[in-house]
């Protein structure tokens, strides 16, 4: 039973990770921005937000491909 | 200057002509490991990095695409101009511009420096490759040049440790970033009068600096006479590529066997030492048989990229571009297409992004559409597995037969791309040819540090893929191939009762005309996420299909050799020459073209080509064998 529970958790985590990595960059960025806005009102999460979430947002504009030299290909926006 | 603000980093922008060493200098300043190569057009977007300074203020360094002037002809050049003019919403005007100039070829870089200086932004002139300039008899009076130009001038050798110390010291002395919003500099397109004036200023500066043309190495001239000759050059290019693929197969055999044996031992150990249950099955059949099957190809990836990096660093690749320019023009491709197509051999994504250097939209679109036909490194594990399983390890004269087949597959990708471009040229009715204007870099010995760093980056990328998305997909596939468990009365292999087995049975109707069995049909689905996942998927599917646990330890390669016909294997190879793109590539095409139309057309035509090629291959080989 414990084995099955453990395997179930591993499979769910792997599926979540795969969906996250293959998600369109814009959707991933939207989710991270939403999480950022939500955590901004929770002082307990301030450290995690600065340490982990902010750098992740900066990196999240990639294309879902870790296997190339262009992991942060944000097209510039004209002012 | 306004009051200092200690926390505000100084924004430094690196500008310069292509291939003057901006990215090498960026890496030296920031400790980054961005790709550098001895040819122009490597950087097609801005990159940011930071460096701490003694006063805690820090530098924020921006590496910009190379440009010959501020009147852009391509998208990447427009990025450089827009950053300097403050036209990008999220990038303020830089506090200091470091104009990087190749000291060996001072006039080309200095012309851009004059244009940048007209913007009125604080500027430092970095004379890069000063060691090479001295070796080739170039002397530059930096003090007089600085006085005449009205900006500080410092020597740099970006590829050497400490080679940017003077520049760093100057930037640190530059004082804090101004506590104000820097207004966008005034700029207008260069007129004929401006160009004449700049040319006159340039001549004056060169005279003041005492610059004379560099001493030419007579060997370089002789080497170029052979390498750029339309006959001997093409023969040598074919030979170089040929040797690379021979080496990929011959040299990698021993380390691959060792990794393979280690994976088999790990699988056996898990099955014998862990209690029977889903966890041991997940580890042995999903993680080790799946992700481990992909890991085996690490030595081949290292050898392939070793050669590519050597060619990049030596300055040979732009010469290859020059050689192929005529052929590219004949099929309707711009000469500028060579670098994007070459980059696509590592991964189609940077290749597609590198098309930003192509000024004409139609030309650019054509290159985007054919870039995925170049054999990316993700196909290497698939090719290697099938070749090792189906092609005997024997020599044909002095050549390794497996290496010959691999060479043929890479050539098939290139030839297909050229044919598709030729067809597109006739469909679009475009007969205009944009000639290649390329500055041939000097030959140089590959830099050992660059090589090691480049290889390390490739190894990290491959391992992070194996340990990331590939591992995750293998775990999901293991679940789909293991559940639901079959009822006791079910007599076949349990996997056939699972979700994956049922999906495979459905897909087999589509792929049966190509000779693909249900195991292959299953493996093609996760292969859409990343091509090499298909190898891992085959590992997992065959491990779960095994009649006994002893079979799990055996290698995937002999299993395929025993169960597949030659026609099936060849059809799968043909499929992967054209195979529909991974999702990431399609997403990048959508972004670069700003439309769903083109990625859909791309996926559709590649799927059709893959299906037709695999069908014909299966029928032909089946008839002959």
């Amino acid at each position: 039973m414990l084995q099955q529970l453990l395997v179930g958790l591993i499979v769910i985590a792997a599926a979540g990770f795969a969906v996250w990595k293959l998600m369109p960059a814009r959707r991933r960025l939207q989710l991270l921005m939403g999480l950022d806005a939500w955590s901004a009102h929770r002082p307990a999460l301030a450290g995690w937000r600065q340490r982990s979430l902010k750098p992740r947002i900066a990196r999240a504009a990639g294309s879902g491909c870790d296997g190339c030299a262009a992991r942060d290909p944000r097209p510039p926006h004209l002012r | 200057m306004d009051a200092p603000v200690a926390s505000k980093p100084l924004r430094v922008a690196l500008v310069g002509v292509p291939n003057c060493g901006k990215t090498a200098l960026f890496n030296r300043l920031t400790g980054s490991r961005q790709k550098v190569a001895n040819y122009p057009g490597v950087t097609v977007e801005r990159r940011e990095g930071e460096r701490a300074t003694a006063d805690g203020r820090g530098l924020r360094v921006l590496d910009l695409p190379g440009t010959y002037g501020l009147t852009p002809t391509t998208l990447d050049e427009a990025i450089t101009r827009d950053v300097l003019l403050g036209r990008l919403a999220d990038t303020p005007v830089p506090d200091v511009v470091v104009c990087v100039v190749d000291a060996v070829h001072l006039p080309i870089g200095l012309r851009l420096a004059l244009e940048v200086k007209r913007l009125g932004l604080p500027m430092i002139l970095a004379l890069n490759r000063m060691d090479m300039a001295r070796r080739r008899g170039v002397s530059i009076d930096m003090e007089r040049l600085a006085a005449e130009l009205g900006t500080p001038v410092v020597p740099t050798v970006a590829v050497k440790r400490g080679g940017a110390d003077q520049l760093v010291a100057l930037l640190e002395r530059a004082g804090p970033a101004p506590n104000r919003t820097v207004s966008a500099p005034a700029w207008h397109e260069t007129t004929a009068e401006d160009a004449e004036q700049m040319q006159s200023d340039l001549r004056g500066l060169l005279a003041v600096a005492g610059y004379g043309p560099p001493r030419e190495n007579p060997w370089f001239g002789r080497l170029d006479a052979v390498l750029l000759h339309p006959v001997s050059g093409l023969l040598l290019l074919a030979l170089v590529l040929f040797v690379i693929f021979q080496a990929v197969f011959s040299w990698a055999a021993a380390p691959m066997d060792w990794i393979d044996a280690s994976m088999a031992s790990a699988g056996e150990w898990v099955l014998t030492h862990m209690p029977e249950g889903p966890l041991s099955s997940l580890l042995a059949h999903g993680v080790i048989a799946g992700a481990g099957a992909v890991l085996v190809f690490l030595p081949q990836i290292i050898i392939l990229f070793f050669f590519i990096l050597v060619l990049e660093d030596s300055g040979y690749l732009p010469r290859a571009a020059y050689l192929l320019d005529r052929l590219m023009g004949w099929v309707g491709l711009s000469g500028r297409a060579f670098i994007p197509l070459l980059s696509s051999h590592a991964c189609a994504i940077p290749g597609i992004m590198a098309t930003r250097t192509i000024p004409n939209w139609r030309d650019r679109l054509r290159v985007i559409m054919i870039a995925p036909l170049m054999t990316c490194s993700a196909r290497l594990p698939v090719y290697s597995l099938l070749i090792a399983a189906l092609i005997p390890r024997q020599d044909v004269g002095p050549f390794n037969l497996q290496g010959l087949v691999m060479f043929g597959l890479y050539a098939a990708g290139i030839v297909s791309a050229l044919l598709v471009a030729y067809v597109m040229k006739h469909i679009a009715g475009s007969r205009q040819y944009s000639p290649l204007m390329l500055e041939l870099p000097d030959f140089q010995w590959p830099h050992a540090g660059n090589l090691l760093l480049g290889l390390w980056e490739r190894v990290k990328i491959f391992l992070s893929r194996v340990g990331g998305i590939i591992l995750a997909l293998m775990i999901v596939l293991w679940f789909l191939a293991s559940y639901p468990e079959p009822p006791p009365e079910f007599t076949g292999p349990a996997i056939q009762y699972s979700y994956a087995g049922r999906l495979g049975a459905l897909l087999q109707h589509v792929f049966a005309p190509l000779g693909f069995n249900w195991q292959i049909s299953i493996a093609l689905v996760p292969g859409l996420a990343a091509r090499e996942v298909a190898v891992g998927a085959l590992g997992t599917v065959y491990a779960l299909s095994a009649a006994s646990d002893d079979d799990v330890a055996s290698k995937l390669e002999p299993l395929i050799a025993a169960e597949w016909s030659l026609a099936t294997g060849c059809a799968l190879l043909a499929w992967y020459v054209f195979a529909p793109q991974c999702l990431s590539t399609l997403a990048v095409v959508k972004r670069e073209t700003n439309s769903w139309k083109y990625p859909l057309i791309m996926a559709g035509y590649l799927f059709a080509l893959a299906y037709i090629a695999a069908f014909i291959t299966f029928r032909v080989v089946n008839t002959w064998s």
Side-chain angles (χ1 to χ4, degrees):
Chain A
M1 183 63 192
L2 184 66
Q3 267 204 37
Q4 278 173 341
L5 189 69
L6 193 60
V7 165
L9 287 175
I10 293 171
V11 170
I12 289 168
F17 179 77
V19 168
W20 178 254
K21 295 298 276 186
L22 296 172
M23 181 184 288
R26 188 181 294 177
R27 185 59 48 82
R28 189 165 52 228
L29 198 56
Q30 276 174 353
L31 282 174
L32 283 172
M33 301 291 264
L35 193 59
D36 187 45
W38 176 81
S39 60
H41 304 294
R42 285 157 182 81
L45 297 176
W48 167 79
R49 190 165 163 253
Q50 283 304 324
R51 261 194 327 274
S52 184
L53 189 59
K54 290 285 186 191
R56 199 168 280 272
I57 288 173
R59 288 197 306 267
S63 56
C65 175
D66 288 333
C68 63
R71 271 181 276 180
D72 186 18
R74 278 173 293 180
H77 300 289
L78 288 176
R79 184 172 275 166
Chain B
M1 195 171 278
D2 298 313
V5 179
S7 59
K8 196 176 172 189
L10 194 73
R11 294 187 300 268
V12 180
L14 302 180
V15 297
V17 301
N19 205 33
C20 68
K22 292 177 297 301
T23 303
L25 192 60
F26 174 80
N27 288 347
R28 179 67 52 210
L29 288 173
T30 62
S32 299
R33 291 174 178 181
Q34 295 293 344
K35 179 182 170 63
V36 290
N38 188 16
Y39 56 82
V42 177
T43 307
V44 290
E45 57 186 352
R46 76 228 154 105
R47 290 165 175 157
E48 263 187 64
E50 294 202 356
R51 180 192 179 97
T53 52
D55 60 5
R57 165 176 55 99
L59 302 175
R60 182 164 293 162
V61 187
L62 202 58
D63 181 22
L64 296 172
T67 179
Y68 289 101
L70 295 183
T71 306
T73 54
T74 58
L75 276 177
D76 57 325
E77 290 177 358
I79 292 171
T80 301
R81 183 204 54 189
D82 290 342
V83 168
L84 293 181
L85 298 181
R87 290 183 179 178
L88 300 186
D90 48 357
T91 310
V93 177
D95 299 316
V96 179
V97 177
V98 174
C99 192
V100 187
V101 172
D102 181 352
V104 181
H105 306 290
L106 186 64
I108 303 167
L110 210 48
R111 196 194 168 286
L112 173 70
L114 282 169
E115 209 174 335
V116 173
K117 192 167 179 300
R118 280 172 49 198
L119 297 177
L121 293 169
M123 187 177 102
I124 296 172
L125 191 75
L127 293 179
N128 198 28
R129 297 178 78 219
M130 272 306 286
D131 55 338
M132 187 61 71
R134 286 189 194 110
R135 232 175 288 154
R136 293 182 60 182
V138 174
S139 63
I140 299 169
D141 187 333
M142 282 185 274
E143 280 182 20
R144 293 187 67 187
L145 180 62
E148 189 71 15
L149 192 61
T151 62
V153 177
V154 285
T156 56
V157 184
V159 293
K160 289 206 172 137
R161 189 171 298 208
D165 286 354
Q166 285 192 51
L167 175 63
V168 171
L170 198 61
L171 286 170
E172 288 191 343
R173 282 204 305 271
N179 186 20
R180 59 184 163 80
T181 306
V182 182
S183 54
W187 174 81
H188 63 267
E189 284 204 10
T190 307
T191 61
E193 291 78 35
D194 293 336
E196 265 179 40
Q197 182 60 47
M198 266 193 290
Q199 201 58 31
S200 160
D201 291 349
L202 177 62
R203 277 195 290 269
L205 279 173
L206 291 172
V208 165
Y211 174 84
R215 204 172 39 233
E216 291 299 333
N217 185 331
W219 280 103
F220 288 176
R222 284 172 210 156
L223 205 54
D224 268 339
V226 178
L227 292 178
L228 299 177
H229 190 272
V231 178
S232 63
L234 283 173
L235 285 175
L236 279 169
L237 177 61
L239 185 70
V240 165
L241 295 176
F242 197 72
V243 167
I244 290 174
F245 294 117
Q246 291 289 311
V248 163
F249 262 91
S250 307
W251 299 359
M256 283 176 75
D257 287 345
W258 182 79
I259 298 175
D260 211 5
S262 306
M263 288 297 141
S265 306
E268 267 177 10
W269 188 91
V270 166
L271 289 171
T272 49
H273 288 81
M274 283 184 72
E276 197 177 328
L279 191 58
S280 65
S281 173
L282 170 66
L283 288 176
H285 303 144
V287 175
I288 296 171
V294 184
L295 195 62
V296 168
F297 298 98
L298 180 63
Q300 288 190 330
I301 301 248
I302 291 176
I303 292 169
L304 179 66
F305 277 96
F306 168 78
F307 280 105
I308 290 177
L309 290 169
V310 166
L311 294 180
E312 273 185 359
D313 227 19
S314 64
Y316 179 70
L317 288 186
R319 285 160 173 88
Y322 169 81
L323 275 173
L324 296 174
D325 181 44
R326 197 169 170 188
L327 178 65
M328 306 267 268
W330 183 70
V331 299
L333 289 173
S334 154
R336 288 189 182 224
F338 181 81
I339 300 298
L341 293 180
L342 183 80
S343 305
S344 300
H345 279 95
C347 173
I349 291 173
I352 287 166
M353 292 181 62
T355 60
R356 292 179 188 180
T357 58
I358 299 172
N360 181 292
W361 162 244
R362 277 190 170 188
D363 288 351
R364 187 173 173 228
L365 184 62
R366 212 173 293 150
V367 181
I368 287 175
M369 296 304 262
I370 62 166
L373 286 167
M374 299 291 129
T375 305
C376 67
S377 57
R379 280 169 171 137
L380 189 62
V382 183
Y383 286 173
S384 297
L385 174 70
L386 297 180
I387 290 172
L390 300 166
I391 309 295
R393 204 181 271 193
Q394 66 182 50
D395 290 337
V396 179
F399 306 117
N400 175 314
L401 180 61
Q402 294 183 330
L404 276 175
V405 175
M406 180 68 95
F407 176 73
L409 288 167
Y410 269 73
I414 294 167
V415 171
S416 311
L418 296 179
L419 287 175
V420 171
Y422 185 74
V423 172
M424 282 181 179
K425 171 185 156 183
H426 285 276
I427 291 174
S430 164
R431 305 292 161 95
Q432 195 186 355
Y433 168 62
S434 312
L436 174 68
M437 298 281 283
L438 185 71
E439 196 182 328
L440 290 180
D442 297 327
F443 284 111
Q444 62 180 31
W445 285 108
H447 192 260
N450 273 355
L451 279 184
L452 287 175
L453 199 65
L455 279 180
W456 174 236
E457 288 300 312
R458 292 311 310 182
V459 169
K460 270 201 317 189
I461 287 169
F462 182 74
L463 292 181
S464 72
R465 273 171 81 83
V466 172
I469 186 71
I470 292 175
L471 178 64
L473 287 170
M474 286 308 101
I475 291 172
V476 173
L477 184 69
W478 169 86
F479 172 78
L480 294 174
S482 304
Y483 295 94
E485 288 175 341
E489 64 273 15
F490 188 78
T491 51
I495 189 173
Q496 286 189 347
Y497 192 80
S498 68
Y499 298 119
R502 293 176 207 183
L503 179 68
L506 270 177
L507 287 175
Q508 207 193 348
H509 295 300
V510 180
F511 293 113
L514 314 183
F516 294 177
N517 57 23
W518 63 270
Q519 287 98 331
I520 300 176
S521 304
I522 292 174
L524 292 181
V525 177
L528 285 174
R531 287 194 170 105
E532 63 269 56
V533 175
V535 171
L538 283 172
T540 296
V541 170
Y542 273 108
L544 288 169
S545 312
S548 72
D549 280 344
D550 290 343
D551 294 344
V552 175
S554 60
K555 297 174 185 174
L556 186 56
E557 187 187 306
L559 269 173
I560 289 175
E563 293 202 10
W564 295 8
S565 68
L566 181 64
T568 294
C570 291
L572 189 56
L573 281 174
W575 173 270
Y576 267 100
V577 169
F578 301 99
Q581 277 315 287
C582 62
L583 298 174
S584 305
T585 302
L586 295 175
V588 167
V589 173
K590 192 262 166 187
R591 201 193 54 218
E592 292 292 316
T593 60
N594 204 23
S595 160
W596 275 113
K597 183 175 135 189
Y598 299 108
L600 288 175
I601 291 174
M602 177 188 275
Y605 100 80
L606 287 172
F607 184 86
L609 279 182
Y611 199 94
I612 293 166
F615 180 81
I616 293 172
T617 306
F618 179 70
R619 299 290 149 186
V620 170
V621 178
N622 218 11
T623 310
W624 284 359
S625 59

